[in-house]
Amino acid sequence: MKKVAVVGATGYTGQELIRLILQHGKVSLHTAVSQSSGGKKLAEVYPSFAKFTDLTLSAEHIEEVAAKVDLIFMALPHGIAAKSVTKKILDKCAVIDLGADFRLQNTKEYEQWYEYKHPNKAIVKEAVYGLPELNREKIKDARLVANPGCYATCSILTLTPLLQAQVIDLESIIVDGKSGVSGAGRSLALGTHFDECNESIKAYKVGCHRHTPEIEQELSVQAGEAVLISFTPHLVPMHRGILITSYSILNRDLSEDEIFDIYKSAYRNEPFIRLFDTAGSDYRFPETRWVKGSNFCDIGLTVDARTDRVIAVGAIDNLIKGAAGQAIQNMNIMFGWDETTGLNQVPTFPS
Amino acid sequence: MKKVAVVGATGYTGQELIRLILQHGKVSLHTAVSQSSGGKKLAEVYPSFAKFTDLTLSAEHIEEVAAKVDLIFMALPHGIAAKSVTKKILDKCAVIDLGADFRLQNTKEYEQWYEYKHPNKAIVKEAVYGLPELNREKIKDARLVANPGCYATCSILTLTPLLQAQVIDLESIIVDGKSGVSGAGRSLALGTHFDECNESIKAYKVGCHRHTPEIEQELSVQAGEAVLISFTPHLVPMHRGILITSYSILNRDLSEDEIFDIYKSAYRNEPFIRLFDTAGSDYRFPETRWVKGSNFCDIGLTVDARTDRVIAVGAIDNLIKGAAGQAIQNMNIMFGWDETTGLNQVPTFPS
Amino acid sequence: MKKVAVVGATGYTGQELIRLILQHGKVSLHTAVSQSSGGKKLAEVYPSFAKFTDLTLSAEHIEEVAAKVDLIFMALPHGIAAKSVTKKILDKCAVIDLGADFRLQNTKEYEQWYEYKHPNKAIVKEAVYGLPELNREKIKDARLVANPGCYATCSILTLTPLLQAQVIDLESIIVDGKSGVSGAGRSLALGTHFDECNESIKAYKVGCHRHTPEIEQELSVQAGEAVLISFTPHLVPMHRGILITSYSILNRDLSEDEIFDIYKSAYRNEPFIRLFDTAGSDYRFPETRWVKGSNFCDIGLTVDARTDRVIAVGAIDNLIKGAAGQAIQNMNIMFGWDETTGLNQVPTFPS
Amino acid sequence: MKKVAVVGATGYTGQELIRLILQHGKVSLHTAVSQSSGGKKLAEVYPSFAKFTDLTLSAEHIEEVAAKVDLIFMALPHGIAAKSVTKKILDKCAVIDLGADFRLQNTKEYEQWYEYKHPNKAIVKEAVYGLPELNREKIKDARLVANPGCYATCSILTLTPLLQAQVIDLESIIVDGKSGVSGAGRSLALGTHFDECNESIKAYKVGCHRHTPEIEQELSVQAGEAVLISFTPHLVPMHRGILITSYSILNRDLSEDEIFDIYKSAYRNEPFIRLFDTAGSDYRFPETRWVKGSNFCDIGLTVDARTDRVIAVGAIDNLIKGAAGQAIQNMNIMFGWDETTGLNQVPTFPS
């Protein structure tokens, strides 16, 4: 049994990590740090954990924690991990950061989009962008993994085969994202007050959402040249789920079947990618309900011959493949375990 | 008092029409036709109407109805109005059809998208597309108004100023639509069963939704040349509301303020268009909650300088500006009344 | 036109009052006071009001306001009105308080349940409990009306005929209440954060909710002797609506029809009470959806012969009949107008 | 590995059973029968199962199935199991029926409440009511288990300690139940159409719900004499969850702590009962969100000294402890396995 810690244990991502850890089988939860609730029992903050753990939340500093565990999951707002994850800590234990501080290799871009001076640029180089479907080999040897953002995970996975196959016009990509409310976290805000977001839909941070440069960074790697996208996130009145609707102009004449084959080939061996076949099934495109509670990314597509566009649609559970589940997946890879360990949950429906 | 009838009175659109008629002030509801519930009291089918009307639903044929009223609202699935609205009927009374049968002037296009042979092509020429903001003058003299589709209303209003001002690349337009579930009507279907659509989001009819040619027809009129768009509708777990997120590439260098001025100028005198100013307010973009229960179309926009795109966002209540409210607005124009008569409801929040 | 003011204008009840005032016809909104948003335009805080009013929110003291208007609606948390509504103010203008400070004639009970020393006991005697169905005559001459609580309104109306007719055991009454989330107001709290209350139901303040003594006070008046009840409120994941399920043991042998006649007779002339008939309709019991957006209280009942209990069920829109609408109704009575002025909205469905 | 079959595989309960079976570890899903979808792949009907099973749904008769498996789960509307589960079948394999046909030992009561003549009365005697917390020993040796109804499970578990301890007046029990919509199943009906049940709450089958005699049967066993209750179910706009609010009059003077001790003692060794302690935690009463996705029944209570009532509140996930999870729990007992095998899921929050 490896010992792990969760720092930021009482946010939605933190507690979801703990849920997955408790059911994992190969790791034990050694420490759960919460600055706001230190001293309380976890099950007092989240009664869902009653009968599973008697753990008392700690308010320890990450340095103390690092000495006692094999891996730390950081689930904190951006800016904090940047300061606290040092070389000294990485010498003691591995770190998977679920925040944004180590995702952008170009720290200037980070500082621009996050309006925050990065205090720890040197260490960013060491970080591996933790999207296993693209970076599996690098993750194996990483000491510091930057776990991707939720929108970024779904957008990159939905578009990557098109870029690898070089079949689309790189200037044409539009990503229209829709997210459940849990992506905004547990901190109180007017916009996530029940009566302000239920029974309504809105676009937000149009053209300025911070997952944009992250998506562009990874798509550019796949394309082999710089890619700029238009990305608009929307808030949907539901707990969990991200749906990405992407639009790209084909640069050559390809049928839907040919595009579909590109995807099949790209994701042939991926345990967590499920393609919606163009033939047969009642369900032609992914819906967030079919992945809820699981680590899957479901993908479907069509070719709109009238406009020469391929419309690819992806769906994930934002707290699992978009956060805690992907972090577990990264941990499994780092520790040399089967990548799906502890992540075999069948999606729960209806839920 | 003018006398009106609603045919298809027990669908969501029909009953919403009746709600607005009962509060209108200048019209009385003479007849409400429902094939499925003829003989029942309206308030037995919808207890919301108790204390407002004792009306018994009728199963009369539209010809009988036409002889007794000044105007008929048709709120039926496509295909039925096409057959039943004849010249003879139009000689007796005005008709506003809330279905799709008279919206497309090109009946070939109709037959292609609706996979249904139009039985009454001659009369289509007489129909006026009932979007008052574009066709007010023609509506005044119309005997037959084709009330626009819900997605179409919001999409056309959100994009029209850009086309009129000729500032965008006509091949670049993408319309990503999101709708509440009431748009699917009261007929039972697995996809609108509570447990199948709540807490989930999906794209549907990707590249093949029937509002596409309707949007293209009207945008082409505004542009003065043929426009093709990519349109993807999505189902959102809420009762009411349509949000349109549109993406277009600017064909010249224009600032957000300049674009905004184009909209202000285009909609200067429109009673039902509200623009979200780029400065000041807490709310930068429309949200469906702010129009719920009203006939407004709220519009906001931004220019994404990185990609030369203008992203314009529009919001309506699909059952009001997207259906019954717009029909009332058309009736007001046809009868020479103030266009806002009976449509002055302040949006209800939270609801 | 009478001039009115709303103090506490940016809470959910305050803005709902303003919505109703703007559509009322016989009153004009002179002043809207908000301590938190003074100086802002109302439509910047609630974009729903755009195009309806240019009003700037004021942070004036109630004394200044009183000199300029005919009536003040107070929509504040308990404790504030108790301090600020003085005889001096009542000499200048009428006051309808939508908070709890003047509802309980027994100020000891108030102090016990609200754990707050009442600073203005003398004035409580002057207050009239503003439930028009019971106190219409007294309201006519009142200068200070204590607008009932939302749960209290629905519970009292649902049970009153049974008490007036003296057909139930007074010790047997149980009131199981269910409320939408808007009842908790706009102040941020973990319990009304979307992800904490959506898709779940809970009981809260079991046996200690502050509407209990209010219900008991009014039921005791109707019964002619002291009544104690068990009251349990529940939070339901929806915006609006209160449903009351009440259980009482019959003290004599009465059929459902006989009980129903008691209700019909008690509410014969009430414009805002609708009874669900035991025969015929598809809908046997009230549901909150049928009253949403209106000032109605819908009531239905059954007699369970196995246990000699009458189960009476009532439904209201908590922000209308349970707050702002009832306040308008009270104002109408105080000003000698038709009680339904500005309150003729047909419930909006689906919404 | 034992082999099991699910008959009625495409209802919500059936597919939830399959989800649990696929993750169980000690059983394999041999056959899944669906009359409506026989011949289709399960993952075509429920894409959630993609990558987990290639199983094709069968339309076989239960007799054929019985010959090939160790246990059959029947998840069908009432009336069908009554006809098809014969002695011959029980000689071949064990049966757990999740419907109502074998729950009531008094078949006259069955015929009265279900308005259906029981075709197989002899076999009813052999059936064991499958509530492990009460009937564990009998379940061990059963060939036919009648899996309890969802409301019944939660009601009985919430009240049982009070009856065993004989501390309440048996004529005073009121059970006010609230359920999510999935309890109504996947069959289309107007009442579970999204726009008809979302954003609303209603009581239904007041005084006549079919779980009433089931609750009474088991409470009577615990009390040692006949118990009649008043039971009112309500429909709550959420997917999963049942909350039971029960009211009983204490027949002696007992403090909250004393009552709580009665519960602690009654459920001391129960793996799936969690008591909400009266002291300490932020959460005083159960909420359905804390059990969602798990097999737990959470219970909390208070004593209302003003009315001598104990109010006990229970919460379950209706599809798990109220159906499929409890069936698995029963299977574990029948096969002599640890009762919690395959049921160790931590509740998923928020979801």
Side-chain angles (χ1 to χ4, degrees):
Chain A
M1 285 294 238
K2 295 271 189 186
K3 283 180 280 184
V4 300
V6 174
V7 176
T10 53
Y12 288 149
T13 299
Q15 61 93 35
E16 182 73 350
L17 265 167
I18 291 174
R19 188 176 72 86
L20 293 173
I21 289 165
L22 290 173
Q23 300 177 112
H24 185 275
K26 301 190 105 167
V27 293
S28 71
L29 179 63
H30 183 279
T31 306
V33 175
S34 164
Q35 294 306 329
S36 59
S37 303
K40 278 194 179 177
K41 297 227 165 197
L42 180 59
E44 285 170 6
V45 180
Y46 286 104
S48 42
F49 290 115
K51 286 225 176 190
F52 288 98
T53 174
D54 267 330
L55 198 84
T56 298
L57 295 159
S58 119
E60 278 169 287
H61 191 274
I62 174 180
E63 287 207 22
E64 297 166 64
V65 177
K68 298 181 285 187
V69 302
D70 298 295
L71 186 147
I72 296 176
F73 294 100
M74 308 281 290
L76 298 168
H78 74 89
I80 305 180
K83 269 186 264 179
S84 47
V85 178
T86 59
K87 293 250 175 215
K88 222 163 99 187
I89 281 169
L90 294 181
D91 287 344
K92 290 185 196 155
C93 76
V95 170
I96 296 177
D97 178 34
L98 288 89
D101 290 355
F102 307 110
R103 292 177 192 156
L104 298 181
Q105 283 299 318
N106 182 336
T107 50
K108 261 198 197 127
E109 245 188 350
Y110 174 88
E111 296 184 352
Q112 205 174 306
W113 286 84
Y114 288 83
E115 294 169 320
Y116 178 79
K117 199 168 158 45
H118 202 296
N120 202 349
K121 292 182 194 173
I123 216 168
V124 172
K125 291 206 186 65
E126 193 170 339
V128 173
Y129 190 77
L131 195 60
E133 288 76 7
L134 304 187
N135 292 334
R136 191 169 278 121
E137 289 310 309
K138 286 187 194 155
I139 295 164
K140 278 183 187 161
D141 304 319
R143 299 198 302 177
L144 172 58
V145 163
N147 213 59
C150 49
Y151 281 121
T153 295
C154 195
S155 302
I156 297 164
L157 292 175
T158 302
L159 284 161
T160 281
L162 297 175
L163 293 154
Q164 290 175 337
Q166 301 190 303
V167 295
I168 57 169
D169 170 358
L170 296 184
E171 296 194 344
S172 72
I173 304 170
I174 282 169
V175 175
D176 193 283
K178 295 91 179 169
S179 173
V181 181
S182 64
R186 207 183 202 200
S187 301
L188 301 186
L190 190 58
T192 48
H193 192 58
F194 182 85
D195 289 302
E196 305 285 322
C197 62
N198 184 44
E199 287 290 308
S200 189
I201 181 164
K202 68 171 177 184
Y204 64 101
K205 296 188 189 159
V206 183
C208 60
H209 191 280
R210 286 160 170 173
H211 288 182
T212 311
E214 194 179 329
I215 300 169
E216 290 175 345
Q217 167 182 286
E218 297 303 309
L219 294 188
S220 298
V221 170
Q222 300 307 315
E225 57 181 295
V227 175
L228 289 189
I229 63 161
S230 279
F231 171 51
T232 307
H234 298 79
L235 190 70
V236 179
M238 60 184 192
H239 283 307
R240 291 178 179 227
I242 279 183
L243 192 84
I244 293 297
T245 312
S246 71
Y247 303 84
S248 317
I249 295 178
L250 289 169
N251 62 16
R252 71 190 78 163
D253 209 34
L254 287 164
S255 72
E256 202 160 283
D257 283 350
E258 287 168 308
I259 300 284
F260 198 75
D261 283 342
I262 290 172
Y263 275 77
K264 272 205 282 201
S265 157
Y267 290 137
R268 201 172 34 239
N269 299 314
E270 288 303 334
F272 293 118
I273 308 275
R274 302 192 299 192
L275 300 180
F276 271 58
D277 211 329
T278 47
S281 164
D282 297 353
Y283 298 96
R284 184 66 185 75
F285 286 94
E287 308 181 24
T288 58
R289 60 176 166 149
W290 302 127
V291 297
K292 210 175 157 186
S294 81
N295 198 49
F296 291 108
C297 178
D298 282 3
I299 300 174
L301 60 87
T302 193
V303 169
D304 181 4
R306 299 167 67 250
T307 62
D308 290 327
R309 285 199 182 89
V310 55
I311 295 132
V313 177
I316 61 168
D317 182 321
N318 58 304
L319 290 180
I320 304 186
K321 184 61 178 170
Q326 185 145 268
I328 298 288
Q329 190 181 354
N330 281 317
M331 176 190 74
N332 289 341
I333 296 171
M334 292 163 89
F335 285 165
W337 298 332
D338 183 315
E339 200 167 318
T340 65
T341 309
L343 294 173
N344 286 308
Q345 296 84 0
V346 183
T348 309
F349 175 81
S351 85
Chain B
M1 286 294 239
K2 296 271 190 188
K3 284 181 279 185
V4 300
V6 174
V7 176
T10 53
Y12 288 150
T13 298
Q15 59 93 36
E16 182 73 351
L17 264 167
I18 291 174
R19 189 177 71 86
L20 293 173
I21 289 165
L22 290 174
Q23 301 178 111
H24 185 274
K26 301 191 104 168
V27 293
S28 70
L29 180 63
H30 183 278
T31 306
V33 175
S34 164
Q35 294 306 329
S36 58
S37 302
K40 278 196 179 176
K41 298 226 165 200
L42 180 59
E44 285 170 7
V45 181
Y46 287 104
S48 43
F49 289 115
K51 287 224 175 192
F52 287 97
T53 176
D54 266 330
L55 198 84
T56 298
L57 294 160
S58 119
E60 277 169 289
H61 192 274
I62 175 178
E63 287 206 24
E64 298 167 63
V65 176
K68 297 183 284 187
V69 301
D70 299 295
L71 187 147
I72 295 176
F73 294 101
M74 308 281 290
L76 299 168
H78 75 90
I80 305 179
K83 269 184 262 178
S84 48
V85 178
T86 58
K87 292 251 176 214
K88 220 163 102 187
I89 281 168
L90 292 180
D91 287 343
K92 290 185 196 154
C93 75
V95 170
I96 297 177
D97 178 35
L98 288 90
D101 290 355
F102 306 110
R103 291 178 191 155
L104 298 181
Q105 283 299 318
N106 181 338
T107 49
K108 263 200 197 128
E109 245 188 351
Y110 175 87
E111 296 183 351
Q112 206 175 306
W113 287 85
Y114 288 85
E115 294 169 321
Y116 178 77
K117 198 166 159 49
H118 203 296
N120 202 350
K121 290 181 195 174
I123 216 169
V124 172
K125 290 206 186 65
E126 194 172 338
V128 173
Y129 190 77
L131 194 61
E133 289 75 8
L134 304 187
N135 290 336
R136 191 168 280 122
E137 289 311 309
K138 286 187 195 156
I139 296 164
K140 276 182 188 161
D141 303 319
R143 298 197 303 175
L144 172 58
V145 164
N147 214 57
C150 50
Y151 280 121
T153 294
C154 195
S155 301
I156 298 165
L157 292 175
T158 301
L159 284 162
T160 281
L162 297 174
L163 293 155
Q164 290 176 335
Q166 302 190 301
V167 295
I168 56 170
D169 171 358
L170 296 185
E171 297 194 344
S172 71
I173 303 171
I174 282 167
V175 174
D176 192 282
K178 295 94 179 168
S179 173
V181 181
S182 64
R186 205 184 205 201
S187 300
L188 301 187
L190 190 59
T192 49
H193 193 58
F194 182 85
D195 289 302
E196 304 285 321
C197 62
N198 183 45
E199 288 290 308
S200 190
I201 182 164
K202 68 170 175 184
Y204 64 101
K205 295 188 189 159
V206 184
C208 60
H209 191 280
R210 288 161 169 174
H211 288 183
T212 311
E214 194 179 329
I215 300 170
E216 290 176 346
Q217 167 181 286
E218 296 303 309
L219 295 187
S220 297
V221 171
Q222 299 306 316
E225 57 181 297
V227 175
L228 289 189
I229 62 161
S230 279
F231 171 51
T232 307
H234 297 78
L235 190 69
V236 179
M238 60 184 193
H239 282 307
R240 289 179 180 228
I242 279 182
L243 192 83
I244 293 296
T245 311
S246 71
Y247 303 84
S248 318
I249 295 179
L250 289 169
N251 61 15
R252 69 191 79 164
D253 209 34
L254 286 164
S255 72
E256 200 160 286
D257 284 351
E258 287 169 308
I259 300 284
F260 198 74
D261 284 342
I262 288 171
Y263 275 77
K264 271 204 284 201
S265 158
Y267 290 137
R268 202 173 33 240
N269 298 314
E270 287 304 334
F272 293 119
I273 307 277
R274 303 191 300 190
L275 300 180
F276 271 59
D277 212 329
T278 47
S281 164
D282 297 354
Y283 298 95
R284 183 68 184 72
F285 285 94
E287 308 180 25
T288 58
R289 59 176 168 150
W290 301 127
V291 297
K292 207 173 159 188
S294 80
N295 198 49
F296 290 110
C297 178
D298 283 2
I299 301 173
L301 60 87
T302 193
V303 168
D304 181 2
R306 300 167 66 251
T307 61
D308 290 328
R309 283 199 184 89
V310 54
I311 296 131
V313 178
I316 62 168
D317 181 321
N318 58 305
L319 289 181
I320 304 187
K321 184 62 178 170
Q326 186 145 267
I328 297 287
Q329 189 181 353
N330 281 318
M331 175 189 73
N332 289 340
I333 296 171
M334 292 163 89
F335 285 165
W337 298 333
D338 184 314
E339 200 168 317
T340 65
T341 308
L343 294 173
N344 287 306
Q345 296 83 359
V346 183
T348 308
F349 177 81
S351 87
Chain C
M1 286 295 239
K2 296 271 189 186
K3 285 181 277 186
V4 301
V6 174
V7 176
T10 53
Y12 288 149
T13 298
Q15 60 93 35
E16 182 73 350
L17 265 167
I18 291 174
R19 188 176 71 87
L20 293 173
I21 289 165
L22 290 173
Q23 300 178 111
H24 185 274
K26 300 191 104 169
V27 292
S28 70
L29 179 63
H30 184 279
T31 306
V33 175
S34 164
Q35 293 306 329
S36 59
S37 302
K40 279 197 179 175
K41 298 227 165 198
L42 180 60
E44 285 169 8
V45 181
Y46 286 104
S48 43
F49 289 115
K51 287 226 176 189
F52 288 97
T53 175
D54 267 331
L55 198 85
T56 299
L57 294 159
S58 120
E60 277 170 288
H61 192 275
I62 175 180
E63 287 206 21
E64 297 168 63
V65 176
K68 296 183 285 187
V69 301
D70 298 296
L71 185 147
I72 296 176
F73 294 101
M74 308 282 290
L76 299 167
H78 74 89
I80 305 179
K83 269 186 262 178
S84 48
V85 178
T86 58
K87 293 249 175 216
K88 222 163 99 186
I89 281 169
L90 293 181
D91 288 342
K92 289 185 194 154
C93 76
V95 170
I96 296 177
D97 179 34
L98 288 90
D101 290 355
F102 308 110
R103 291 178 191 155
L104 299 180
Q105 283 299 317
N106 182 337
T107 49
K108 262 200 196 127
E109 246 188 351
Y110 174 87
E111 295 183 353
Q112 207 175 305
W113 287 84
Y114 288 84
E115 294 169 322
Y116 178 78
K117 198 168 162 41
H118 203 295
N120 202 351
K121 291 181 193 173
I123 215 168
V124 171
K125 290 205 186 64
E126 194 171 339
V128 174
Y129 190 77
L131 195 60
E133 288 76 8
L134 303 187
N135 292 334
R136 192 168 278 123
E137 289 309 310
K138 285 188 194 155
I139 295 164
K140 277 183 188 161
D141 304 319
R143 298 197 303 176
L144 173 57
V145 163
N147 213 58
C150 49
Y151 280 121
T153 295
C154 196
S155 301
I156 297 164
L157 292 174
T158 302
L159 284 161
T160 281
L162 297 175
L163 294 154
Q164 289 176 336
Q166 303 190 301
V167 295
I168 57 170
D169 170 358
L170 296 184
E171 296 194 344
S172 72
I173 304 171
I174 282 169
V175 175
D176 192 282
K178 295 92 178 169
S179 173
V181 181
S182 64
R186 206 183 204 201
S187 300
L188 302 186
L190 190 59
T192 49
H193 192 59
F194 181 85
D195 288 302
E196 305 285 322
C197 62
N198 184 44
E199 287 291 307
S200 189
I201 181 164
K202 68 170 176 184
Y204 65 101
K205 295 188 189 158
V206 183
C208 61
H209 191 280
R210 287 161 170 174
H211 288 182
T212 311
E214 194 179 329
I215 299 168
E216 291 176 345
Q217 167 182 287
E218 297 302 309
L219 295 187
S220 298
V221 171
Q222 300 307 316
E225 57 181 294
V227 174
L228 289 189
I229 62 161
S230 279
F231 170 52
T232 307
H234 298 78
L235 191 69
V236 179
M238 60 184 192
H239 283 308
R240 290 178 179 227
I242 279 183
L243 193 82
I244 293 297
T245 312
S246 71
Y247 303 83
S248 317
I249 295 179
L250 289 169
N251 62 16
R252 71 189 80 164
D253 209 34
L254 286 164
S255 72
E256 201 160 284
D257 284 351
E258 287 168 308
I259 301 284
F260 197 74
D261 283 342
I262 289 172
Y263 275 77
K264 272 205 282 201
S265 157
Y267 290 137
R268 200 172 36 239
N269 299 314
E270 287 303 334
F272 293 119
I273 308 276
R274 302 191 300 191
L275 299 180
F276 271 57
D277 211 330
T278 47
S281 164
D282 297 353
Y283 298 96
R284 184 66 185 74
F285 286 93
E287 308 181 24
T288 58
R289 59 176 167 149
W290 301 126
V291 297
K292 209 176 158 187
S294 80
N295 198 50
F296 291 109
C297 178
D298 282 3
I299 301 174
L301 60 87
T302 195
V303 169
D304 181 3
R306 299 167 67 249
T307 61
D308 290 327
R309 285 199 182 89
V310 54
I311 295 131
V313 178
I316 61 168
D317 181 320
N318 59 305
L319 290 180
I320 304 187
K321 185 60 179 170
Q326 185 145 268
I328 297 288
Q329 190 181 354
N330 280 317
M331 177 190 74
N332 289 340
I333 296 171
M334 293 163 88
F335 285 166
W337 298 332
D338 184 314
E339 200 168 317
T340 65
T341 308
L343 294 173
N344 287 307
Q345 296 84 0
V346 183
T348 309
F349 176 81
S351 87
Chain D
M1 286 293 237
K2 295 272 189 186
K3 284 181 278 185
V4 300
V6 174
V7 176
T10 53
Y12 288 150
T13 298
Q15 59 94 35
E16 182 72 351
L17 264 167
I18 291 174
R19 189 177 70 86
L20 294 173
I21 289 165
L22 290 174
Q23 301 178 112
H24 185 274
K26 302 191 103 166
V27 293
S28 71
L29 179 63
H30 183 279
T31 305
V33 174
S34 164
Q35 293 307 330
S36 58
S37 302
K40 279 196 178 176
K41 298 226 165 197
L42 180 60
E44 285 169 6
V45 180
Y46 287 104
S48 43
F49 289 114
K51 287 224 176 191
F52 288 97
T53 175
D54 266 331
L55 198 83
T56 298
L57 294 160
S58 118
E60 277 169 288
H61 192 275
I62 176 179
E63 286 207 23
E64 297 167 63
V65 177
K68 297 182 284 186
V69 301
D70 299 295
L71 186 146
I72 296 176
F73 294 101
M74 307 281 290
L76 299 168
H78 74 90
I80 306 179
K83 268 184 264 179
S84 47
V85 178
T86 58
K87 292 250 175 215
K88 220 164 103 187
I89 281 169
L90 293 181
D91 287 343
K92 291 185 194 154
C93 75
V95 170
I96 297 178
D97 178 34
L98 287 91
D101 290 354
F102 307 110
R103 291 178 191 156
L104 298 181
Q105 283 299 318
N106 180 338
T107 48
K108 263 202 196 125
E109 243 188 353
Y110 174 87
E111 296 185 351
Q112 205 174 307
W113 287 84
Y114 288 84
E115 295 168 320
Y116 178 78
K117 198 165 160 47
H118 203 296
N120 202 349
K121 291 182 194 174
I123 215 168
V124 172
K125 290 205 186 66
E126 193 171 339
V128 173
Y129 191 77
L131 195 60
E133 289 75 7
L134 304 187
N135 291 336
R136 190 168 280 122
E137 289 311 310
K138 286 187 196 156
I139 296 164
K140 276 182 188 161
D141 303 319
R143 298 197 302 175
L144 172 58
V145 163
N147 213 58
C150 49
Y151 281 121
T153 295
C154 195
S155 301
I156 297 165
L157 292 175
T158 301
L159 284 160
T160 282
L162 297 174
L163 293 154
Q164 290 175 335
Q166 302 189 301
V167 295
I168 58 170
D169 171 358
L170 296 185
E171 297 194 344
S172 72
I173 303 171
I174 282 168
V175 174
D176 191 282
K178 294 94 181 169
S179 174
V181 181
S182 64
R186 205 184 203 200
S187 300
L188 301 187
L190 190 60
T192 49
H193 193 58
F194 182 85
D195 289 301
E196 305 286 321
C197 62
N198 184 44
E199 288 290 308
S200 190
I201 182 165
K202 68 170 176 184
Y204 64 101
K205 295 188 189 158
V206 184
C208 59
H209 190 281
R210 288 160 170 175
H211 288 182
T212 310
E214 193 180 329
I215 300 170
E216 290 175 346
Q217 168 181 285
E218 296 303 309
L219 295 187
S220 298
V221 171
Q222 300 306 316
E225 58 181 295
V227 175
L228 289 189
I229 62 161
S230 278
F231 170 51
T232 307
H234 297 79
L235 190 69
V236 178
M238 60 184 194
H239 283 306
R240 290 178 180 229
I242 279 183
L243 192 83
I244 292 297
T245 312
S246 71
Y247 304 83
S248 318
I249 295 180
L250 289 169
N251 62 15
R252 69 190 81 163
D253 209 35
L254 286 165
S255 73
E256 200 160 285
D257 283 351
E258 287 168 309
I259 301 285
F260 198 75
D261 283 342
I262 289 171
Y263 275 77
K264 272 204 284 201
S265 157
Y267 290 137
R268 201 173 33 241
N269 298 316
E270 287 303 334
F272 292 120
I273 307 276
R274 303 191 299 191
L275 300 179
F276 271 58
D277 211 329
T278 47
S281 164
D282 297 353
Y283 298 95
R284 183 67 184 74
F285 286 93
E287 308 180 25
T288 57
R289 60 175 167 151
W290 301 127
V291 297
K292 208 174 159 187
S294 79
N295 199 48
F296 290 109
C297 178
D298 283 2
I299 300 173
L301 61 86
T302 193
V303 169
D304 182 4
R306 301 167 65 251
T307 61
D308 290 327
R309 284 199 183 89
V310 54
I311 296 132
V313 178
I316 61 168
D317 181 321
N318 58 304
L319 290 181
I320 305 187
K321 184 61 178 169
Q326 186 145 268
I328 297 288
Q329 189 180 355
N330 281 318
M331 174 189 75
N332 289 339
I333 296 171
M334 293 162 88
F335 285 166
W337 298 332
D338 183 315
E339 199 169 319
T340 66
T341 308
L343 294 173
N344 287 305
Q345 297 83 0
V346 183
T348 308
F349 176 81
S351 88

